[in-house]
Amino acid sequence: MQEYVKHIASSLLVTAIGVSNLSAQSLTTYGTPGLVEMPTANVLKDGELAFTASAFGPNYRYTATFQVLPRVYGSFRYSQIKNITTLTYLGGDTFDRSFDIHYRISDEGKYLPAIAVGLRDFLGTGILSSEYFVATKSFGPNIEVTGGLGWGRLAGRNSFSNPLSTISDQFDTRTKGANKGGQLEIGQWFRGPTSAFAGVKWEINDNTTFYAEYSPDLYLGEAINTGIRISTPINLGLEYHFKSGLKLKGFLIGGNEIGAQLSYVIDPAKPGNPGGLEEAPRSVGQRNRLAIADWNNSAKGGGRDAVKRVLNARLADEGMTLQGFSMGGGQATVRVDNVRWNNDAQAAGRAARVMATTLPPEIEQLTVVFQDQGVPISRVVTQRSDLEELQFDYDGAWRTLARARIEDAHDQGRVGELGETYPYFDVSFGPYLATSFFDPNSPIRADLGAQLRLAYRPAPGLTFAGQLRYPLVGNIADSFRVSNSKIEPVRTNAVRYAKQSDLEVNRLTAEYIFRPGKDLFARVSAGYLESMFGGVSAEVLWYPVASRLAVGAEINYVKQRNFDMLFGFQDYSVATGHVSGYYDFGNGFFGQLDVGRYLAGDYGATVSIDREFNNGFKVGGFFTLTDVSFDDFGEGSFDKGLRFQVPLSWFTGRPSRKTISQTIRPITRDGGARLAVANRLYGTVREYRGKELRDSWGGYLR
């Protein structure tokens, strides 16, 4: 039991970053809504993210489940199974990665149960592979009954002929051969013998829940070598709900195997401090009083320079850097770099309030231009009288949106640019953490070291930057994994880079971002573009200010860097490039399609889907298929992965543009590998375009 507790506690450190967020749903050892091991027709609340760790017998399972849509959740699971023997695994510890998907067909009614269908381990090696139809019905406030039909692992005990055979006799047979994982075994879904499963959930009180279920899973593969004993189909569980939202479950599997489980559910849409901890915005007073009271006003003799000085100081207090200022003819424009606010409409509102409390009374039109690296992206035009009228209005934010204009800022040029803005120099020094996942000998590896970042910008858009790293402690270089790739090893030599480097020139680049025309952005980068490749990269992006659609193209010519990550190159060079389409589907869903040539010379496409919440929390996934065959690709069959981005403000409640990001690939191979160039244009400019600003406009007057 001590070993169970150790494994579970280490895997759920993520819960320490969460906030209290009670969820009504219980989770199975597979990390999905259900009883002990059997699924139910239930789902999480839309957008919820659940983390689970369970341990019993030879099984350790670590699962993340995301409620993608109100009726659909998906799960990624990493399992350790000790000494398993199956058709494809002949003893020894197995570290397995698997994916699940569950669809709720219908909701529970007064008389009818909720009904759902699901696939377990549908995109993995198939060790845990099963499919099911399930129905769940509540009886009173505390009792919930579930029953269903299962295939695969859920058809081991008291099985009977497949009822789907009435459709086709192809459903009679389920075969399983050698599988490197990562392939959709559609021909096996809902095939072969069928078994029934059932269970009941009893909420004893607000904190304690009891579970009992009938399970057809015999654990045949595990039983051969591990000594696991399944002597009864009855599984029992007892769960305690802590006030923090953490749930601890103890359970008995098969009459003999005692296990434990921790689970935690968070709602990305609900941060720890949903109201925010920022200071209140400036109140916009009457202009005639401003003319009398403020020394910086031109009516008092301060003039433009005095106004600029006060604007600069007040914008700095609001987390924005003034880079340009012009005033005349009843209108004024500020060009700012937003360094604090992750809600960009809120930044626009704060900047407009600063202008309204600083500028002379005759200035009516207020324009805020958002810039990144000195490049103008979009502008927000507001009337001063609208701020005065609506600042305390109950629905003032949306009424200001109806009156404001969001426009492209390609024509802004360097009008009113402040002389002290350039040259710009920035240096930062601090720690870094590099991670490596799913090495069978050590599933999580990491290096902690010191990092120095330098940036020099002599003119708008032109940046010379470097990032140097020195690892201090860690174990990535201790891995025994070596590349066995049948194609060019563009990524699978990562361990060799870790072993043969100390001081790393992680990046060393010259970059120029500019505006070739209306709704157009362009980037040219050269140097050591990432840790493994250096060369030249060029990109252009068409992104109309009010459009959901953006289209871009990128071309690169790069050489593979030496393993010491200093200044040398290896012989391998390649020309790569992609045409990319980006689309905002609404409701927080974003899609991306990249078609082109990858680093190993293979041709194909990457499909990405992300769900982003209004606070910047993002969860997504992607897959890449190229002309590399599944056999040549190797384990995993094709490139795929999950990614998330959590804004620092989600934890602290204080505005910040800093984020914590991580991409997790079940297996890293060489097919479908893309250059990791920094500052791709869509990610740089998207948040300042019209659709994004409008979606976050609720914060404009905050």
Side-chain angles (χ1 to χ4, degrees):
M1 183 61 70
Q2 289 180 349
E3 186 178 10
Y4 293 167
V5 173
K6 179 186 71 174
H7 278 263
I8 291 173
S10 63
S11 69
L12 280 185
L13 285 176
V14 67
T15 62
I17 65 175
V19 296
S20 179
N21 181 30
L22 297 177
S23 174
Q25 292 306 326
S26 56
L27 302 173
T28 67
T29 64
Y30 288 88
T32 57
L35 303 169
V36 179
E37 293 213 292
M38 297 300 101
T40 64
N42 294 327
V43 294
L44 299 169
K45 295 178 182 177
D46 185 31
E48 284 189 332
L49 186 61
F51 301 94
T52 307
S54 64
F56 69 95
N59 298 279
Y60 301 89
R61 298 172 184 155
Y62 313 97
T63 308
T65 296
F66 180 53
Q67 191 69 37
V68 184
L69 294 167
R71 294 182 178 274
V72 179
Y73 67 70
S75 302
F76 171 69
R77 181 181 307 105
Y78 187 67
S79 306
Q80 178 185 0
I81 310 173
K82 294 178 175 292
N83 297 314
I84 188 173
T85 296
T86 68
L87 291 175
T88 54
Y89 292 88
L90 302 176
D93 288 3
T94 294
F95 295 87
D96 186 61
R97 298 161 291 274
S98 56
F99 294 85
D100 298 356
I101 192 166
H102 173 105
Y103 173 66
R104 184 165 179 165
I105 300 172
S106 62
D107 297 329
E108 181 178 345
K110 183 176 181 179
Y111 301 107
L112 296 178
I115 300 174
V117 60
L119 305 174
R120 280 181 177 172
D121 194 7
F122 74 95
L123 191 62
T125 57
I127 295 176
L128 304 176
S129 177
S130 58
E131 306 85 45
Y132 58 84
F133 283 99
V134 63
T136 299
K137 185 73 176 74
S138 299
F139 294 90
N142 300 326
I143 303 294
E144 190 176 84
V145 176
T146 291
L149 297 178
W151 290 261
R153 283 195 68 129
L154 291 177
R157 185 188 299 271
N158 296 328
S159 60
F160 47 86
S161 297
N162 192 337
L164 297 177
S165 297
T166 57
I167 301 174
S168 169
D169 57 10
Q170 292 182 351
F171 286 100
D172 285 332
T173 305
R174 184 186 189 97
T175 60
K176 185 65 179 174
N179 181 6
K180 294 181 179 180
Q183 299 180 33
L184 292 172
E185 298 285 346
I186 298 176
Q188 304 302 317
W189 295 351
F190 302 98
R191 304 294 177 93
T194 309
S195 291
F197 61 87
V200 61
K201 171 185 174 182
W202 173 33
E203 294 185 2
I204 300 172
N205 53 48
D206 290 342
N207 298 321
T208 310
T209 305
F210 174 77
Y211 307 89
E213 66 181 21
Y214 173 90
S215 168
D217 191 347
L218 294 172
Y219 280 89
L220 293 178
E222 292 85 347
I224 295 175
N225 286 342
T226 65
I228 187 173
R229 293 184 300 130
I230 304 296
S231 57
T232 174
I234 304 301
N235 300 333
L236 304 174
L238 188 66
E239 184 174 64
Y240 185 79
H241 307 195
F242 294 92
K243 290 183 179 180
S244 65
L246 185 70
K247 296 183 179 181
L248 173 63
K249 181 188 288 186
F251 50 82
L252 180 66
I253 301 289
N256 301 289
E257 302 299 331
I258 298 175
Q261 173 180 311
L262 285 175
S263 58
Y264 197 80
V265 180
I266 64 173
D267 186 347
K270 297 179 180 179
N273 296 282
L277 299 177
E278 68 270 20
E279 294 182 358
R282 293 175 177 271
S283 177
V284 179
Q286 295 298 317
R287 276 182 259 187
N288 56 350
R289 295 182 180 179
L290 179 69
I292 297 172
D294 279 6
W295 64 268
N296 57 282
N297 195 282
S298 59
K300 299 289 290 181
R304 182 185 182 281
D305 290 341
V307 172
K308 184 187 73 173
R309 286 196 300 271
V310 176
L311 273 176
N312 193 20
R314 290 181 175 178
L315 286 169
D317 289 342
E318 295 286 1
M320 285 170 275
T321 303
L322 181 64
Q323 297 184 334
F325 171 60
S326 59
M327 179 175 67
Q331 58 186 3
T333 299
V334 295
R335 297 165 56 189
V336 298
D337 181 12
N338 171 25
V339 296
R340 176 183 297 170
W341 303 95
N342 57 328
N343 183 320
D344 299 294
Q346 189 172 6
R350 294 277 176 140
R353 283 174 178 263
V354 167
M355 296 175 74
T357 57
T358 307
L359 299 177
E362 64 269 20
I363 300 300
E364 168 62 16
Q365 181 171 292
L366 311 176
T367 300
V368 178
V369 178
F370 285 115
Q371 302 196 148
D372 191 282
Q373 301 182 58
V375 179
I377 299 174
S378 300
R379 60 175 167 245
V380 178
V381 183
T382 306
Q383 301 306 309
R384 190 172 184 172
S385 54
D386 292 337
L387 282 177
E388 294 168 343
E389 175 189 351
L390 300 174
Q391 61 175 320
F392 300 120
D393 190 282
Y394 179 78
D395 200 27
W398 300 110
R399 293 180 68 186
T400 56
L401 175 60
R403 303 180 189 185
R405 303 198 313 270
I406 302 173
E407 303 172 340
D408 188 48
H410 74 286
D411 56 352
Q412 188 65 37
R414 302 181 70 170
V415 176
E417 183 175 280
L418 304 186
E420 60 267 28
T421 303
Y422 302 102
Y424 165 85
F425 183 74
D426 182 57
V427 58
S428 64
F429 181 78
Y432 80 90
L433 179 68
T435 55
S436 174
F437 297 103
F438 309 130
D439 182 336
N441 297 309
S442 182
I444 300 177
R445 293 182 181 271
D447 283 346
L448 178 65
Q451 177 174 270
L452 176 66
R453 287 183 173 179
L454 303 166
Y456 173 69
R457 188 171 303 124
L462 178 62
T463 305
F464 300 93
Q467 179 172 284
L468 281 69
R469 288 180 170 181
Y470 190 86
L472 298 174
V473 294
N475 62 348
I476 293 180
D478 297 337
S479 174
F480 298 107
R481 302 187 80 176
V482 295
S483 176
N484 61 353
S485 183
K486 295 181 181 179
I487 60 177
E488 189 67 33
V490 294
R491 292 300 186 207
T492 53
N493 275 329
V495 173
R496 294 190 64 180
Y497 280 93
K499 286 180 179 293
Q500 297 186 31
S501 63
D502 287 316
L503 176 65
E504 305 172 6
V505 180
N506 198 260
R507 279 192 173 94
L508 188 63
T509 61
E511 175 187 81
Y512 184 49
I513 298 177
F514 59 101
R515 300 293 310 269
K518 183 180 180 181
D519 297 326
L520 291 174
F521 302 83
R523 172 189 57 82
V524 179
S525 306
Y528 299 99
L529 301 173
E530 53 148 283
S531 59
M532 298 185 189
F533 283 89
V536 180
S537 174
E539 180 187 9
V540 63
L541 176 71
W542 173 76
Y543 193 170
V545 69
S547 176
R548 293 177 180 266
L549 175 69
V551 179
E554 177 182 294
I555 187 169
N556 317 290
Y557 179 77
V558 293
K559 295 191 70 174
Q560 198 164 29
R561 296 179 60 183
N562 283 345
F563 294 127
D564 60 10
M565 280 190 275
L566 293 176
F567 300 104
F569 289 96
Q570 301 181 46
D571 291 336
Y572 180 72
S573 61
V574 62
T576 80
H578 289 79
V579 174
S580 301
Y582 312 87
Y583 192 76
D584 181 350
F585 292 99
N587 296 319
F589 285 92
F590 297 86
Q592 180 175 339
L593 175 65
D594 304 292
V595 181
R597 192 183 194 209
Y598 295 84
L599 286 172
D602 48 330
Y603 292 86
T606 300
V607 177
S608 307
I609 296 290
D610 294 282
R611 182 173 182 180
E612 185 174 0
F613 299 87
N614 287 338
N615 53 39
F617 199 118
K618 183 187 298 184
V619 180
F622 62 90
F623 68 88
T624 302
L625 293 174
T626 73
D627 57 1
V628 174
S629 68
F630 290 163
D631 287 338
D632 286 343
F633 185 93
E635 183 183 1
S637 301
F638 62 94
D639 186 54
K640 53 194 167 293
L642 304 172
R643 59 193 180 198
F644 65 87
Q645 175 181 290
V646 185
L648 188 62
S649 59
W650 194 87
F651 303 111
T652 66
R654 299 187 180 279
S656 173
R657 296 186 66 79
K658 294 182 179 179
T659 60
I660 301 170
S661 301
Q662 184 67 62
T663 297
I664 300 176
R665 285 179 166 84
I667 189 71
T668 299
R669 303 295 296 177
D670 297 306
R674 193 174 179 188
L675 185 71
V677 64
N679 296 326
R680 285 198 165 101
L681 293 171
Y682 183 73
T684 299
V685 308
R686 179 177 71 86
E687 58 194 10
Y688 292 118
R689 302 307 272 171
K691 176 66 169 58
E692 294 305 301
L693 285 168
R694 287 194 300 273
D695 286 348
S696 61
W697 202 267
Y700 182 76
L701 292 178
R702 286 187 55 185

